[in-house]
Amino acid sequence: MAPLIVDIHTHVYPPAYMQMLRARKTVPYVHDPAAANAPPRLIILSSDDDASIPLDQRGRPVDASYSDIEVKLAFMRRHGINSSVISLANPWLDFLAPEEAQTWAERINDDLEATCAGVNRAADPDNTRALHEKETLYAFGALPLSAPSAEVVVREIQRLKTLPHLRGVIMGTTGLGKGLDDSRLDPVWKALQETDSLLFLHPHYGLPDEAFGGPEALNRYGHVLPLALGFPLETTIAVTRMFLAGVFDRFPGLKILLAHSGGTLPFLAGRIESCILHERKFVANGGDVPGPQRSVWDVLNTNIYLDAVVYGTAGLKAAVTAAGGADRLLFGTDHPFFPPLGKDDEEWPSVTTNYKAIHAAFEGEGETVAGVLGENAARILKLK
């Protein structure tokens, strides 16, 4: 029997979200080129919004795979995926005006629930088939982080637990605007802990353009620098700030799934730990800043899960070592990003590369491979 395969890192821009982006003229926004049959262009990063670049060439093309759930299901069938946990792609709802945040969050999350319910009902009307025998959808909800108060965010976290197909929330690294070490987020962390909700932490803002050589380098090299380097470092910095601020001390039951195998966190965890142990500002060394009470390794082994979207065996092995075992590693595709460049290509190299890396990293370990591909996700997210 083929192993259960669950994709926990796969994005959707619902039609209402695309409509909202089309109405905007500042990042993020969607532009419809004048050329016939040209797909819409998504301008998602500030570096894409360069006046020197023709409008019809800015950002990236976004075809039906970004918003049509039937295309998502076809992609799943092509790559043998049984279940997908869909989520709104970056930049989520971070850019909304405070008075709009709650309404849009509820609308989009209800749409996600309805989409999942419809697909699952059609695949198994009597709810009698096993998970690996059908195509199912679940979702991570979006949060109204720009709302006037954290209480609005807390209420949405609590409401999401009443939606049968929601399995947690997705969130970027800015939190309420000042990063994830912001003490104003404590009610949010508390709500996630109390409701036993998994937080899928995903990068978006990267590093300043100057870190990559400024606009000239970005125009020359496209998205390679901000996506390959900026996103992983953004995740690493965000989680390290949480750790230094004692978030995991105050909320030891917080559960976080990190995109892209935690960025560079698995590789740098030891260095982070060493720098903390030698930091004179912390109380443990005679300073006046409390500093974290738990070790980086304890948090990685207890509070953190990692996706397997790392495209190589070396990265996967580092992720498993840092996480304390392959039972905390979950398969993902990052669909619909990184599509094949050839028009006639049916398989996505970005996906098959992840498959190959998992099998190579755990060669001869059938149970471990099955766990990473789907059993871990089914257990952690309580998929039926």
Side-chain angles (χ1 to χ4, degrees):
M1 183 174 62
L4 171 69
I5 298 180
V6 179
D7 182 359
I8 53 80
H9 188 158
T10 179
H11 301 297
V12 171
Y13 286 116
Y17 191 75
M18 290 290 286
Q19 180 182 2
M20 177 173 62
L21 292 178
R22 279 189 168 94
R24 294 174 53 82
K25 301 300 180 185
T26 57
V27 176
Y29 64 97
V30 165
H31 169 68
D32 290 293
N37 300 321
R41 308 282 301 192
L42 173 64
I43 294 82
I44 192 174
L45 301 175
S46 58
S47 58
D48 292 339
D49 197 31
D50 189 328
S52 67
I53 304 174
L55 188 58
D56 286 2
Q57 297 176 21
R58 294 182 200 174
R60 65 178 68 205
V62 287
D63 58 19
S65 62
Y66 284 76
S67 56
D68 189 334
I69 207 65
E70 293 301 323
V71 177
K72 176 77 71 180
L73 294 171
F75 166 83
M76 291 170 59
R77 287 190 287 271
R78 167 57 57 184
H79 294 90
I81 297 167
N82 303 104
S83 188
S84 289
V85 187
I86 58 177
S87 56
L88 193 65
N90 48 313
W92 314 285
L93 306 177
D94 293 8
F95 56 89
L96 290 177
E99 65 274 11
E100 299 178 313
Q102 180 178 354
T103 299
W104 275 106
E106 292 176 355
R107 178 178 178 183
I108 287 174
N109 290 332
D110 287 345
D111 281 352
L112 290 172
E113 168 62 27
T115 297
C116 294
V119 167
N120 295 358
R121 191 181 307 113
D124 188 8
D126 300 322
N127 197 27
T128 57
R129 301 173 66 191
L131 192 60
H132 67 274
E133 297 176 335
K134 56 188 177 183
E135 294 165 353
T136 54
L137 295 181
Y138 295 88
F140 292 127
L143 296 179
L145 292 173
S146 63
S149 69
E151 285 70 26
V152 176
V153 184
V154 168
R155 286 198 298 271
E156 186 61 11
I157 291 171
Q158 295 168 339
R159 191 182 77 89
L160 290 174
K161 292 297 289 188
T162 69
L163 303 183
H165 296 91
L166 272 290
R167 287 299 185 271
V169 302
I170 187 169
M171 181 175 172
T173 62
T174 62
L176 301 178
K178 294 186 177 181
L180 302 186
D181 54 352
D182 183 355
S183 61
R184 296 179 302 159
L185 279 167
D186 277 7
V188 176
W189 306 139
K190 181 181 179 183
L192 290 171
Q193 178 175 266
E194 290 181 344
T195 58
D196 193 30
S197 297
L198 181 69
L199 166 63
F200 181 26
L201 185 64
H202 194 292
H204 168 69
Y205 298 95
L207 302 180
D209 292 351
E210 291 72 23
F212 307 114
E216 181 180 350
L218 292 170
N219 288 339
R220 183 186 308 134
Y221 304 126
H223 291 101
V224 173
L225 291 169
L227 293 185
L229 303 181
F231 271 24
L233 287 170
E234 176 187 343
T235 300
T236 305
I237 293 168
V239 177
T240 303
R241 286 175 63 179
M242 291 179 69
F243 178 73
L244 293 174
V247 171
F248 298 105
D249 298 324
R250 297 192 299 279
F251 305 100
L254 190 61
K255 299 189 302 184
I256 302 181
L257 169 64
L258 299 183
H260 315 125
S261 289
T264 60
L265 191 60
F267 182 79
L268 294 178
R271 183 174 179 85
I272 294 168
E273 182 83 350
S274 178
C275 290
I276 290 170
L277 293 175
H278 291 85
E279 179 50 59
R280 291 183 175 87
K281 286 185 176 293
F282 294 148
V283 170
N285 296 321
D288 57 2
V289 177
Q293 303 303 301
R294 299 169 62 191
S295 73
V296 172
W297 302 110
D298 181 32
V299 170
L300 281 168
N301 296 174
T302 305
N303 302 90
I304 302 295
Y305 299 95
L306 303 175
D307 75 16
V309 184
V310 70
Y311 311 110
T313 56
L316 280 177
K317 290 180 178 180
V320 169
T321 300
D327 60 337
R328 304 181 71 79
L329 192 65
L330 291 74
F331 174 75
T333 66
D334 213 350
H335 182 263
F337 297 95
F338 304 106
L341 296 180
K343 293 182 179 179
D344 297 327
D345 295 339
E346 294 185 350
E347 289 192 338
W348 291 45
S350 57
V351 178
T352 56
T353 298
N354 279 335
Y355 275 138
K356 291 175 182 176
I358 291 168
H359 284 281
F362 309 111
E363 187 175 3
E365 302 176 47
E367 289 187 6
T368 301
V369 170
V372 174
L373 289 177
E375 297 294 343
N376 294 345
R379 182 188 74 255
I380 294 164
L381 297 177
K382 299 179 177 63
L383 305 184
K384 297 181 179 179

